Amino acid sequence: MSSRTRNILWLIMVLGVGFQGIGLTQQTSQTGVPSSSAGPQAKTKEEHEAYIAFYQEADSKKKIEMGNKFLADFSASEFKPNVMLLMIQAFQASRDHKMVVEWGETLLNNFPENASKAFVFQALMMANQALNDLPKTVDYAEKLLAADLNNLSAIYTIPFVLSERSLTSGEEGRKKELTRAAEVASKGLAMAKPAQLSDEQWVQFQTALHSS
């Protein structure tokens, strides 16, 4: 992985939306207990306790083991999407990009309307970039941007990848790629600085878009 690619992945992490606040917390409280009757419900005391223990586990390796066991023991659980989301986050923490892709795509196939799909799109975008699968990187970046119109990670990734390398054959395809790169970069340059970014981070972001 080149130093520029490492830098882009780091800044994507800085720019990216957090795991909290994009669906999971609409369904569970900070302790993992359902926060409303509309959220998922455990069918048994054993399922409830197993989910709480899994949710609160901080060690990524143990969390993955507990998640696999939970899904095997409670295959019909209403918590299944939440468990899969947290498993993806655990695989991100352990830098297992292949498993992020496997679990992310499985979750989208099984729960295409999940409230946290923007998180999944971003996880898949980043994992595919780490694996150097640039067509999939751009594909998921476009899906992320469609789901979250002002997502800085997607706005940063699309021009970066398309300006660096052609993903299609032929001159006409390349023109479309460069046009799209310029279009997304211009969108980013027209945005106001988000509150979560420092002035230095915002300058880095804008400099990268100008370069692209």
Side-chain angles (χ1 to χ4, degrees), residues 97-143:
H97 307 299
K98 290 184 179 180
M99 292 304 290
V100 171
V101 171
E102 181 178 326
W103 280 76
E105 291 181 344
T106 298
L107 189 148
L108 290 176
N109 287 334
N110 291 333
F111 305 98
E113 299 306 317
N114 186 271
S116 293
K117 64 182 178 181
F119 164 78
V120 182
F121 288 148
Q122 179 155 307
L124 286 166
M125 176 189 74
M126 293 171 61
N128 278 293
Q129 185 160 9
L131 294 169
N132 203 35
D133 190 333
L134 299 184
K136 278 192 172 183
T137 299
V138 173
D139 180 51
Y140 282 117
E142 291 284 8
K143 290 176 180 177

Short mmCIF file of all heavy atoms in Angstrom, two decimals, residues 97-143:
data_model
loop_
_atom_site.label_atom_id
_atom_site.label_comp_id
_atom_site.label_asym_id
_atom_site.label_seq_id
_atom_site.Cartn_x
_atom_site.Cartn_y
_atom_site.Cartn_z
N HIS A 97 -9.85 -6.89 6.35
CA HIS A 97 -10.64 -6.25 5.29
C HIS A 97 -11.48 -7.24 4.51
O HIS A 97 -12.60 -6.93 4.10
CB HIS A 97 -9.71 -5.48 4.35
CG HIS A 97 -8.80 -4.53 5.05
ND1 HIS A 97 -9.27 -3.46 5.79
CD2 HIS A 97 -7.44 -4.48 5.15
CE1 HIS A 97 -8.26 -2.79 6.30
NE2 HIS A 97 -7.14 -3.39 5.92
N LYS A 98 -10.97 -8.44 4.29
CA LYS A 98 -11.74 -9.46 3.56
C LYS A 98 -13.02 -9.81 4.30
O LYS A 98 -14.08 -10.00 3.68
CB LYS A 98 -10.88 -10.70 3.32
CG LYS A 98 -9.76 -10.48 2.31
CD LYS A 98 -8.99 -11.77 2.05
CE LYS A 98 -7.90 -11.54 1.01
NZ LYS A 98 -7.13 -12.79 0.75
N MET A 99 -12.93 -9.92 5.62
CA MET A 99 -14.12 -10.26 6.40
C MET A 99 -15.09 -9.09 6.47
O MET A 99 -16.31 -9.29 6.54
CB MET A 99 -13.72 -10.73 7.79
CG MET A 99 -12.98 -12.06 7.80
SD MET A 99 -13.94 -13.40 7.01
CE MET A 99 -15.26 -13.62 8.22
N VAL A 100 -14.57 -7.87 6.45
CA VAL A 100 -15.47 -6.71 6.38
C VAL A 100 -16.30 -6.78 5.11
O VAL A 100 -17.52 -6.57 5.14
CB VAL A 100 -14.66 -5.39 6.42
CG1 VAL A 100 -15.59 -4.20 6.11
CG2 VAL A 100 -14.00 -5.20 7.77
N VAL A 101 -15.65 -7.11 3.99
CA VAL A 101 -16.37 -7.22 2.72
C VAL A 101 -17.39 -8.35 2.78
O VAL A 101 -18.55 -8.19 2.39
CB VAL A 101 -15.37 -7.44 1.56
CG1 VAL A 101 -16.13 -7.78 0.27
CG2 VAL A 101 -14.51 -6.20 1.35
N GLU A 102 -16.97 -9.51 3.30
CA GLU A 102 -17.87 -10.66 3.35
C GLU A 102 -19.11 -10.37 4.20
O GLU A 102 -20.24 -10.62 3.77
CB GLU A 102 -17.12 -11.87 3.92
CG GLU A 102 -17.98 -13.13 4.00
CD GLU A 102 -17.21 -14.34 4.52
OE1 GLU A 102 -16.00 -14.45 4.22
OE2 GLU A 102 -17.82 -15.17 5.22
N TRP A 103 -18.89 -9.82 5.39
CA TRP A 103 -20.02 -9.57 6.28
C TRP A 103 -20.85 -8.38 5.81
O TRP A 103 -22.08 -8.38 5.95
CB TRP A 103 -19.52 -9.35 7.70
CG TRP A 103 -19.22 -10.64 8.39
CD1 TRP A 103 -18.13 -11.44 8.20
CD2 TRP A 103 -20.02 -11.31 9.36
NE1 TRP A 103 -18.21 -12.56 8.99
CE2 TRP A 103 -19.35 -12.51 9.72
CE3 TRP A 103 -21.23 -11.01 9.97
CZ2 TRP A 103 -19.86 -13.40 10.64
CZ3 TRP A 103 -21.74 -11.91 10.91
CH2 TRP A 103 -21.07 -13.08 11.24
N GLY A 104 -20.19 -7.36 5.26
CA GLY A 104 -20.94 -6.21 4.76
C GLY A 104 -21.86 -6.58 3.62
O GLY A 104 -23.03 -6.18 3.59
N GLU A 105 -21.36 -7.36 2.68
CA GLU A 105 -22.19 -7.76 1.54
C GLU A 105 -23.30 -8.71 1.98
O GLU A 105 -24.42 -8.66 1.46
CB GLU A 105 -21.31 -8.39 0.46
CG GLU A 105 -20.39 -7.35 -0.20
CD GLU A 105 -19.52 -7.93 -1.30
OE1 GLU A 105 -19.40 -9.17 -1.37
OE2 GLU A 105 -18.98 -7.14 -2.09
N THR A 106 -23.00 -9.58 2.94
CA THR A 106 -24.03 -10.48 3.46
C THR A 106 -25.15 -9.71 4.14
O THR A 106 -26.34 -9.99 3.95
CB THR A 106 -23.41 -11.48 4.46
OG1 THR A 106 -22.43 -12.28 3.79
CG2 THR A 106 -24.48 -12.40 5.05
N LEU A 107 -24.77 -8.70 4.93
CA LEU A 107 -25.79 -7.90 5.61
C LEU A 107 -26.67 -7.17 4.60
O LEU A 107 -27.90 -7.15 4.74
CB LEU A 107 -25.12 -6.92 6.56
CG LEU A 107 -26.07 -6.17 7.51
CD1 LEU A 107 -25.39 -5.86 8.84
CD2 LEU A 107 -26.57 -4.86 6.90
N LEU A 108 -26.06 -6.57 3.59
CA LEU A 108 -26.84 -5.84 2.59
C LEU A 108 -27.77 -6.78 1.81
O LEU A 108 -28.89 -6.40 1.45
CB LEU A 108 -25.91 -5.11 1.63
CG LEU A 108 -25.15 -3.91 2.20
CD1 LEU A 108 -24.21 -3.35 1.15
CD2 LEU A 108 -26.11 -2.83 2.68
N ASN A 109 -27.30 -7.99 1.53
CA ASN A 109 -28.14 -8.96 0.82
C ASN A 109 -29.33 -9.40 1.66
O ASN A 109 -30.44 -9.57 1.14
CB ASN A 109 -27.31 -10.19 0.42
CG ASN A 109 -26.36 -9.90 -0.72
OD1 ASN A 109 -26.60 -9.00 -1.53
ND2 ASN A 109 -25.27 -10.63 -0.80
N ASN A 110 -29.09 -9.58 2.97
CA ASN A 110 -30.15 -10.08 3.84
C ASN A 110 -31.05 -8.98 4.39
O ASN A 110 -32.23 -9.22 4.66
CB ASN A 110 -29.54 -10.85 5.01
CG ASN A 110 -28.90 -12.16 4.58
OD1 ASN A 110 -29.28 -12.76 3.58
ND2 ASN A 110 -27.89 -12.61 5.31
N PHE A 111 -30.48 -7.78 4.56
CA PHE A 111 -31.24 -6.67 5.13
C PHE A 111 -30.98 -5.40 4.31
O PHE A 111 -30.34 -4.45 4.79
CB PHE A 111 -30.84 -6.45 6.60
CG PHE A 111 -30.97 -7.67 7.46
CD1 PHE A 111 -29.85 -8.45 7.74
CD2 PHE A 111 -32.21 -8.07 7.96
CE1 PHE A 111 -29.96 -9.59 8.52
CE2 PHE A 111 -32.33 -9.20 8.75
CZ PHE A 111 -31.20 -9.97 9.03
N PRO A 112 -31.45 -5.36 3.06
CA PRO A 112 -31.12 -4.25 2.16
C PRO A 112 -31.63 -2.89 2.61
O PRO A 112 -31.09 -1.86 2.22
CB PRO A 112 -31.77 -4.67 0.83
CG PRO A 112 -32.84 -5.64 1.23
CD PRO A 112 -32.30 -6.37 2.42
N GLU A 113 -32.66 -2.87 3.45
CA GLU A 113 -33.22 -1.60 3.91
C GLU A 113 -32.81 -1.27 5.34
O GLU A 113 -33.44 -0.45 5.99
CB GLU A 113 -34.75 -1.62 3.79
CG GLU A 113 -35.25 -1.82 2.37
CD GLU A 113 -34.67 -0.81 1.39
OE1 GLU A 113 -34.61 0.39 1.76
OE2 GLU A 113 -34.29 -1.21 0.29
N ASN A 114 -31.76 -1.91 5.82
CA ASN A 114 -31.29 -1.64 7.18
C ASN A 114 -30.98 -0.16 7.36
O ASN A 114 -30.42 0.48 6.49
CB ASN A 114 -30.05 -2.48 7.47
CG ASN A 114 -29.60 -2.37 8.91
OD1 ASN A 114 -28.81 -1.49 9.24
ND2 ASN A 114 -30.09 -3.23 9.77
N ALA A 115 -31.36 0.38 8.52
CA ALA A 115 -31.19 1.81 8.78
C ALA A 115 -29.74 2.23 8.79
O ALA A 115 -29.43 3.42 8.64
CB ALA A 115 -31.86 2.17 10.10
N SER A 116 -28.82 1.28 8.98
CA SER A 116 -27.39 1.60 9.05
C SER A 116 -26.64 1.29 7.75
O SER A 116 -25.43 1.11 7.76
CB SER A 116 -26.74 0.84 10.22
OG SER A 116 -27.24 1.29 11.44
N LYS A 117 -27.35 1.25 6.65
CA LYS A 117 -26.68 0.86 5.40
C LYS A 117 -25.62 1.87 4.98
O LYS A 117 -24.66 1.50 4.29
CB LYS A 117 -27.69 0.61 4.29
CG LYS A 117 -28.49 1.81 3.84
CD LYS A 117 -29.48 1.38 2.75
CE LYS A 117 -30.35 2.54 2.29
NZ LYS A 117 -31.33 2.09 1.26
N ALA A 118 -25.73 3.13 5.39
CA ALA A 118 -24.68 4.10 5.05
C ALA A 118 -23.37 3.69 5.71
O ALA A 118 -22.30 3.79 5.10
CB ALA A 118 -25.09 5.50 5.50
N PHE A 119 -23.45 3.22 6.95
CA PHE A 119 -22.25 2.71 7.62
C PHE A 119 -21.67 1.52 6.86
O PHE A 119 -20.45 1.41 6.69
CB PHE A 119 -22.58 2.30 9.06
CG PHE A 119 -21.52 1.42 9.68
CD1 PHE A 119 -20.34 1.97 10.15
CD2 PHE A 119 -21.69 0.05 9.77
CE1 PHE A 119 -19.35 1.16 10.71
CE2 PHE A 119 -20.72 -0.77 10.32
CZ PHE A 119 -19.55 -0.21 10.79
N VAL A 120 -22.54 0.63 6.39
CA VAL A 120 -22.07 -0.56 5.68
C VAL A 120 -21.43 -0.18 4.36
O VAL A 120 -20.37 -0.69 3.99
CB VAL A 120 -23.23 -1.56 5.46
CG1 VAL A 120 -22.73 -2.82 4.76
CG2 VAL A 120 -23.89 -1.93 6.79
N PHE A 121 -22.05 0.75 3.63
CA PHE A 121 -21.46 1.22 2.37
C PHE A 121 -20.06 1.79 2.63
O PHE A 121 -19.13 1.54 1.86
CB PHE A 121 -22.34 2.30 1.72
CG PHE A 121 -23.62 1.80 1.14
CD1 PHE A 121 -24.76 2.60 1.13
CD2 PHE A 121 -23.71 0.54 0.57
CE1 PHE A 121 -25.95 2.16 0.58
CE2 PHE A 121 -24.90 0.07 0.02
CZ PHE A 121 -26.03 0.90 0.02
N GLN A 122 -19.92 2.58 3.70
CA GLN A 122 -18.62 3.17 3.97
C GLN A 122 -17.60 2.11 4.36
O GLN A 122 -16.44 2.16 3.94
CB GLN A 122 -18.73 4.21 5.09
CG GLN A 122 -17.40 4.84 5.44
CD GLN A 122 -17.54 6.21 6.05
OE1 GLN A 122 -18.19 7.08 5.47
NE2 GLN A 122 -16.95 6.42 7.19
N ALA A 123 -18.02 1.14 5.17
CA ALA A 123 -17.12 0.05 5.56
C ALA A 123 -16.66 -0.72 4.33
O ALA A 123 -15.47 -1.07 4.20
CB ALA A 123 -17.82 -0.88 6.54
N LEU A 124 -17.57 -0.98 3.41
CA LEU A 124 -17.23 -1.71 2.19
C LEU A 124 -16.33 -0.87 1.28
O LEU A 124 -15.41 -1.40 0.65
CB LEU A 124 -18.51 -2.12 1.45
CG LEU A 124 -19.27 -3.27 2.11
CD1 LEU A 124 -20.68 -3.39 1.52
CD2 LEU A 124 -18.53 -4.59 1.93
N MET A 125 -16.59 0.41 1.19
CA MET A 125 -15.75 1.30 0.40
C MET A 125 -14.31 1.27 0.91
O MET A 125 -13.35 1.08 0.15
CB MET A 125 -16.30 2.72 0.47
CG MET A 125 -15.47 3.78 -0.24
SD MET A 125 -16.04 5.47 0.12
CE MET A 125 -15.45 5.68 1.83
N MET A 126 -14.15 1.41 2.21
CA MET A 126 -12.81 1.46 2.80
C MET A 126 -12.11 0.11 2.71
O MET A 126 -10.91 0.04 2.41
CB MET A 126 -12.92 1.89 4.27
CG MET A 126 -13.38 3.32 4.44
SD MET A 126 -13.76 3.71 6.18
CE MET A 126 -12.16 3.42 6.92
N ALA A 127 -12.83 -0.99 2.94
CA ALA A 127 -12.22 -2.32 2.88
C ALA A 127 -11.77 -2.64 1.47
O ALA A 127 -10.67 -3.18 1.26
CB ALA A 127 -13.21 -3.36 3.38
N ASN A 128 -12.59 -2.31 0.48
CA ASN A 128 -12.20 -2.59 -0.90
C ASN A 128 -11.03 -1.73 -1.33
O ASN A 128 -10.18 -2.19 -2.11
CB ASN A 128 -13.41 -2.39 -1.83
CG ASN A 128 -14.32 -3.59 -1.86
OD1 ASN A 128 -13.95 -4.66 -2.35
ND2 ASN A 128 -15.52 -3.45 -1.32
N GLN A 129 -10.94 -0.51 -0.81
CA GLN A 129 -9.78 0.31 -1.15
C GLN A 129 -8.51 -0.28 -0.53
O GLN A 129 -7.46 -0.32 -1.16
CB GLN A 129 -9.96 1.75 -0.68
CG GLN A 129 -8.81 2.64 -1.13
CD GLN A 129 -9.17 4.10 -1.12
OE1 GLN A 129 -10.21 4.50 -0.62
NE2 GLN A 129 -8.31 4.92 -1.67
N ALA A 130 -8.63 -0.77 0.70
CA ALA A 130 -7.48 -1.41 1.36
C ALA A 130 -7.05 -2.67 0.60
O ALA A 130 -5.87 -3.01 0.57
CB ALA A 130 -7.82 -1.76 2.80
N LEU A 131 -8.01 -3.35 -0.03
CA LEU A 131 -7.72 -4.55 -0.80
C LEU A 131 -7.35 -4.23 -2.25
O LEU A 131 -7.11 -5.13 -3.06
CB LEU A 131 -8.93 -5.49 -0.78
CG LEU A 131 -9.29 -6.09 0.59
CD1 LEU A 131 -10.66 -6.76 0.53
CD2 LEU A 131 -8.23 -7.06 1.06
N ASN A 132 -7.32 -2.93 -2.58
CA ASN A 132 -6.96 -2.45 -3.92
C ASN A 132 -7.96 -2.88 -4.99
O ASN A 132 -7.61 -3.03 -6.16
CB ASN A 132 -5.55 -2.90 -4.31
CG ASN A 132 -4.94 -2.00 -5.37
OD1 ASN A 132 -5.17 -0.79 -5.38
ND2 ASN A 132 -4.17 -2.58 -6.28
N ASP A 133 -9.21 -3.08 -4.59
CA ASP A 133 -10.28 -3.35 -5.55
C ASP A 133 -10.95 -2.02 -5.84
O ASP A 133 -11.95 -1.65 -5.22
CB ASP A 133 -11.28 -4.36 -4.99
CG ASP A 133 -12.26 -4.85 -6.04
OD1 ASP A 133 -12.54 -4.09 -7.00
OD2 ASP A 133 -12.77 -5.99 -5.91
N LEU A 134 -10.39 -1.27 -6.79
CA LEU A 134 -10.84 0.10 -7.02
C LEU A 134 -12.22 0.21 -7.66
O LEU A 134 -12.98 1.12 -7.32
CB LEU A 134 -9.79 0.85 -7.84
CG LEU A 134 -8.41 0.96 -7.16
CD1 LEU A 134 -7.47 1.79 -8.00
CD2 LEU A 134 -8.54 1.54 -5.76
N PRO A 135 -12.59 -0.69 -8.59
CA PRO A 135 -13.97 -0.60 -9.11
C PRO A 135 -15.02 -0.73 -8.01
O PRO A 135 -15.99 0.03 -7.97
CB PRO A 135 -14.04 -1.77 -10.10
CG PRO A 135 -12.63 -1.94 -10.56
CD PRO A 135 -11.80 -1.68 -9.35
N LYS A 136 -14.82 -1.68 -7.09
CA LYS A 136 -15.77 -1.82 -5.99
C LYS A 136 -15.68 -0.64 -5.03
O LYS A 136 -16.69 -0.23 -4.44
CB LYS A 136 -15.52 -3.12 -5.23
CG LYS A 136 -16.16 -4.34 -5.88
CD LYS A 136 -16.12 -5.53 -4.94
CE LYS A 136 -16.91 -6.69 -5.50
NZ LYS A 136 -16.95 -7.84 -4.56
N THR A 137 -14.49 -0.10 -4.86
CA THR A 137 -14.33 1.08 -4.01
C THR A 137 -15.21 2.22 -4.50
O THR A 137 -15.96 2.82 -3.72
CB THR A 137 -12.86 1.55 -3.99
OG1 THR A 137 -12.04 0.51 -3.46
CG2 THR A 137 -12.69 2.80 -3.14
N VAL A 138 -15.13 2.49 -5.80
CA VAL A 138 -15.94 3.59 -6.37
C VAL A 138 -17.42 3.24 -6.35
O VAL A 138 -18.27 4.09 -6.06
CB VAL A 138 -15.46 3.90 -7.80
CG1 VAL A 138 -16.39 4.91 -8.47
CG2 VAL A 138 -14.05 4.46 -7.77
N ASP A 139 -17.75 1.98 -6.61
CA ASP A 139 -19.15 1.56 -6.60
C ASP A 139 -19.78 1.82 -5.24
O ASP A 139 -20.88 2.40 -5.15
CB ASP A 139 -19.23 0.08 -6.96
CG ASP A 139 -20.68 -0.43 -6.98
OD1 ASP A 139 -21.52 0.21 -7.63
OD2 ASP A 139 -20.95 -1.46 -6.33
N TYR A 140 -19.11 1.42 -4.18
CA TYR A 140 -19.68 1.62 -2.85
C TYR A 140 -19.60 3.08 -2.43
O TYR A 140 -20.46 3.56 -1.67
CB TYR A 140 -18.98 0.72 -1.83
CG TYR A 140 -19.49 -0.70 -1.91
CD1 TYR A 140 -18.64 -1.75 -2.26
CD2 TYR A 140 -20.83 -1.01 -1.66
CE1 TYR A 140 -19.10 -3.06 -2.36
CE2 TYR A 140 -21.29 -2.31 -1.76
CZ TYR A 140 -20.44 -3.33 -2.10
OH TYR A 140 -20.90 -4.62 -2.20
N ALA A 141 -18.60 3.82 -2.91
CA ALA A 141 -18.55 5.25 -2.63
C ALA A 141 -19.74 5.97 -3.26
O ALA A 141 -20.34 6.87 -2.65
CB ALA A 141 -17.24 5.84 -3.16
N GLU A 142 -20.10 5.57 -4.47
CA GLU A 142 -21.27 6.17 -5.13
C GLU A 142 -22.56 5.81 -4.38
O GLU A 142 -23.45 6.66 -4.22
CB GLU A 142 -21.36 5.68 -6.59
CG GLU A 142 -20.26 6.22 -7.50
CD GLU A 142 -20.45 7.67 -7.91
OE1 GLU A 142 -21.36 8.35 -7.37
OE2 GLU A 142 -19.70 8.14 -8.78
N LYS A 143 -22.66 4.57 -3.91
CA LYS A 143 -23.84 4.17 -3.13
C LYS A 143 -23.90 4.94 -1.82
O LYS A 143 -24.99 5.34 -1.37
CB LYS A 143 -23.81 2.67 -2.88
CG LYS A 143 -24.06 1.84 -4.13
CD LYS A 143 -23.92 0.34 -3.86
CE LYS A 143 -24.19 -0.46 -5.13
NZ LYS A 143 -24.00 -1.91 -4.93
#
